[in-house]
Amino acid sequence: MTATPFVPVVQYKTEDLDGFQMFYREAGPADGPVVLLLHGFPTSSHMFRNLIPFLADRFRVIAPDLPGYGNSAAPDRAEFSYTFDNAAKYVQKLLTKLGVTRYAVNVFDYGAPTAWRLALANPDAITALIVQNGNAYDEGLDNDFWVPIKRYWADSSPENRDALRGLVTLDATKFQYTDGMAHASRIAPDNWIVDQALLDRPGNDEIQLDYFLDYGTNPALYPPVQEWLRKTQPPTLIVWGANDVIFPAEGAHPYKRDLQDIEFHLFDSGHFLLEDRADEVFPLIHDFLTRKLG
């Protein structure tokens, strides 16, 4: 008799977190080890739409949309502070409401500084790390892409703010999905169409510019994050698109300085590695989590 194939069911939920509506995707057994997936700019939990069911056979997967992204609330910036401190605060509120105290976490792009704040606040909460083009070292920001952003950090004048508006346009969004990809035919146009529709909501461009400014708070956290890595030694899987011009491979190698239990993989791919190399990366993640979380 042929075994019945496992068919994962993904649920799409919204939690009220003290008046803030946070959307998240969830799948997998309720009693399974928790895997938290944290997205980056300019996307949402949509970027994990294929990975979630791949992991759901044995892991409880939770993928929230950060404030101002996806289907989570995007309050007026006059009433809500779009900072990574706030992003982490609401992710923690969600985890607390769901009864989650221990979890593995996938960090990508903006998901990295969000996760680092969670780790520094609760050093023993994280059971394992999957690092996908997520930075924790100065070397990862020492490239041409960050020059105008660093200028904005130093002087948040209207001129320097306006100079970054090109980063929230369709051309820039499509570029992030397609640049450096070895297999362009694998990149679904839905990605940049969905992301751009959300970026184009009235006022969302200003939200993104606020996040660009607040990203300047992250380098000061790198030394304590590196100390946390050295002290807690979370099992870590690095899966990194080596052709990413935003977070290049120079930001991946330093993890090897601080971590002992590390599995390191660079791919001929770009920023959104999961779109280009799912057939290779998904099994690596599943196998890693199976071995490290049991």
Side-chain angles (χ1 to χ4, degrees):
M1 179 180 292
T2 303
T4 302
F6 170 73
V7 180
V9 175
V10 180
Q11 300 185 66
Y12 306 89
K13 303 178 180 179
T14 301
E15 291 289 343
D16 186 311
L17 307 175
D18 300 325
F20 180 85
Q21 305 299 311
M22 178 166 271
F23 172 87
Y24 63 104
R25 303 169 193 240
E26 184 174 18
D31 60 350
V34 174
V35 180
L36 176 67
L37 307 178
L38 294 177
H39 71 83
F41 170 83
T43 186
S44 65
S45 61
H46 177 265
M47 71 169 286
F48 299 117
R49 69 200 177 282
N50 297 320
L51 178 61
I52 292 169
F54 193 89
L55 300 178
D57 60 334
R58 64 187 306 161
F59 304 105
R60 181 185 180 191
V61 189
I62 298 170
D65 288 351
L66 299 179
Y69 289 93
N71 293 291
S72 285
D76 189 288
R77 52 192 290 270
E79 303 168 357
F80 189 90
S81 179
Y82 288 95
T83 65
F84 291 95
D85 282 351
N86 230 9
K89 181 176 89 170
Y90 282 99
V91 172
Q92 183 59 63
K93 283 179 179 286
L94 176 66
L95 294 173
T96 300
K97 191 158 189 176
L98 298 180
V100 174
T101 57
R102 300 261 293 162
Y103 53 91
V105 61
N106 182 106
V107 303
F108 166 77
D109 194 286
Y110 279 10
T114 304
W116 303 149
R117 286 162 169 79
L118 297 174
L120 294 175
N122 297 286
D124 297 321
I126 294 177
T127 56
L129 278 178
I130 304 149
V131 181
Q132 179 211 337
N133 296 65
N135 195 50
Y137 296 87
D138 289 335
E139 292 95 320
L141 302 181
D142 188 17
N143 59 76
D144 291 343
F145 176 84
W146 290 95
V147 170
I149 300 177
K150 289 179 178 180
R151 188 179 304 122
Y152 180 42
W153 297 346
D155 174 13
S156 57
S157 67
E159 293 78 12
N160 287 338
R161 185 176 178 93
D162 288 344
L164 302 180
R165 292 188 183 276
L167 295 177
V168 297
T169 62
L170 177 59
D171 285 348
T173 301
K174 183 177 179 180
F175 174 84
Q176 290 192 65
Y177 278 101
T178 57
D179 183 65
M181 294 300 196
H183 304 290
S185 65
R186 298 182 180 183
I187 317 302
D190 308 21
N191 286 298
W192 57 82
I193 292 171
V194 168
D195 287 355
Q196 195 61 41
L198 294 166
L199 290 176
D200 287 343
R201 289 175 292 176
N204 196 267
D205 55 342
E206 301 299 335
I207 288 172
Q208 303 308 325
L209 291 167
D210 286 352
Y211 272 122
F212 290 159
L213 182 61
D214 194 66
Y215 202 95
T217 64
N218 295 328
L221 288 182
Y222 293 163
V225 168
Q226 293 157 21
E227 177 60 26
W228 170 76
L229 293 172
R230 288 190 293 270
K231 183 176 180 180
T232 63
Q233 290 296 321
T236 299
L237 172 68
I238 305 285
V239 282
W240 200 290
N243 306 329
D244 187 355
V245 299
I246 301 171
F247 295 112
E250 286 79 3
H253 293 285
Y255 284 96
K256 292 183 283 189
R257 293 200 300 254
D258 294 320
L259 292 165
Q260 299 168 11
D261 186 0
I262 182 171
E263 301 172 26
F264 191 90
H265 304 268
L266 291 181
F267 293 87
D268 178 15
S269 184
H271 190 59
F272 283 101
L273 173 72
L274 300 185
E275 301 298 327
D276 186 38
R277 296 285 183 168
D279 58 327
E280 299 168 79
V281 175
F282 286 14
L284 280 174
I285 294 174
H286 193 286
D287 175 67
F288 169 77
L289 291 171
T290 300
R291 287 185 286 107
K292 300 304 180 180
L293 302 186

